[in-house]
Amino acid sequence: MPKIGQAALTAKAALAITVSLNVFLSAPAGAEPAFGHRTDLSAKDRARIEAVLQPATDFSKPEKYERMQGGAGTSRKRINQDSFSHPTQNLSFEEEQEFKVGNGLFKKLWVSSPSSTQASDGLGPLYNARSCQGCHLKDGRGRPPEPGERAVSMFLRLSIKPQTEEQKALLESGKAPVIPHPVYGGQLQSFAVPGLAGEGEMKITYEEVPVELADGSVVSLRKPTYSIDNPGYGPLGEDTLISPRVAPPMIGLGLLEQVHEGDILANADPEDTDGDGISGRPAWVYDADNDTKVLGRFGWKGANPTVRAQAAGAFSGDVGISTPDKTNPYGDCTEAQEACYAQPNGVQPRFGDTEAPDPVLDLVTFYSENLAVPARRNVDDPQVLRGKELFYAAGCTSCHTPKYVTRRDAPTKAHQFQLIWPYTDMLLHDMGEGLADDRPFGEANGREWKTPPLWGIGLTKTVNDHTYFLHDGRARNLLEAVLWHGGEAETAKQAVVAMEQSDREALIKFLESL
């Protein structure tokens, strides 16, 4: 494979990678083609993919193209705070222009109505952030608020248990993933436009829980408890279900969307028929437009099937901005919040029927789909290679599936037939009582979470100046994150607990290289 410099990949270099990848995806003579579920592939393609996706067995050296964990679109730019904000490197010139316009809209600060800046008004009336970038700072990972801060890149999901037979039927049919709180809606929004009260403030208290490792060392985990101070619209009630969320990193989303559904379902084993203790389940979500269920890929519990759906939901719930896919200009306001619905909205008929009419959602979606995955670091470091071997030996790859080859028929050429290394199976897993939020959501019960991708995890400190991990940022470093694993991941966690210190350090070094 040709050597590529540190600057952004040129179209010629990107083509060279693609050609080299096609050469690499070659099967031994006489191999039977697998991946019969891949209707986008020829039999020859299936055999080539089968060869390249074989699990690693030689840990003395990196696998071919392992450094290019986002395929030909991987960013090899200098590592700094902007490392999650570069475009996929194999976009065309015209697509890169579209990406840049989408970036501007992603950073756009929305203002309350009425405003002289009529193309920017419509904020809220209740909201969590004034821009997409407000939650996904530098396109990276959110965090819990520090003492004295108000939460911005983290919020609380809200719902209640079904109260009526009609609500029970909605949940059983899958047409509603939860029953929103009748007053506070689907999430707590701490901020409001002038003249309106916010819904309340997230309060977190922590309890330190010691965990003794096999070598006698002790790691302290912080166990959070959540409550809501100063509720603005009356008591929430004892039956309110609360679940915290930090904003996840934005990189590689378009590639994950183009992992073939069959490749994800092939790893599902809801009844644990192979007896390995891993029972991954797909997160099916209701598609109202087609009156069917589709595979959820995005969000901490797989709530959204596409990047566009995720973006539209965030515009509505987080910023209070309506789009062609979520047309209510009052966002997450409920009918019980009469003062909220009394506020003016930002719909400008000459622009369209929503506050963010086409092509705003299209452009933000394209931007979100094409944030490049950074290249891995230190892939040939002996300690990193040892850590990779331990990652496999501990059984971590049972959920954190290392690699895929994306669809040949992906709508964006840059995403087609790419060898990627996200380390996720995109399935729901029981993570044990320690991580349970006790709030069912759609297919996911109160102990289940979707396996998050690990690519880029080692750059969290560089990009976002913190090392808080898991769905609520409770883990203060990667070792704490591992030690919070339970349920289906209990065996893997115990393997880490039993490791010698040098092996644990190698495992963390491997994770930091991703």
Side-chain angles (χ1 to χ4, degrees), residues 489-509:
E490 181 67 24
T491 299
K493 178 187 75 177
Q494 290 303 327
V496 177
V497 169
M499 287 178 184
E500 297 179 357
Q501 181 178 343
S502 60
D503 281 346
R504 283 198 307 275
E505 290 173 352
L507 176 67
I508 298 305
K509 194 76 171 178

Side-chain angles (χ1 to χ4, degrees), residues 25-87:
L25 291 175
S26 57
E32 287 294 326
F35 296 90
H37 56 270
R38 291 286 299 265
T39 56
D40 60 313
L41 302 174
S42 66
K44 183 178 180 181
D45 281 341
R46 293 179 192 134
R48 294 158 72 187
I49 288 177
E50 182 182 20
V52 75
L53 295 186
Q54 290 297 314
T57 55
D58 180 0
F59 299 98
S60 65
K61 59 184 179 181
E63 296 173 76
K64 284 188 177 181
Y65 309 121
E66 190 172 4
R67 186 180 180 216
M68 302 294 287
Q69 58 183 346
T74 301
S75 171
R76 295 180 55 156
K77 292 181 180 290
R78 185 175 61 183
I79 297 300
N80 57 26
Q81 197 174 21
D82 293 323
S83 290
F84 289 171
S85 299
H86 301 302

Side-chain angles (χ1 to χ4, degrees), residues 30 52 71-72 85 112 119 239 287 292 345 347 352 364 366 380 461:
V52 75
S85 299
S112 57
D239 292 336
D287 178 2
T292 189
N345 64 61
V347 177
V364 170
F366 189 82
D380 55 357
K461 177 66 174 177

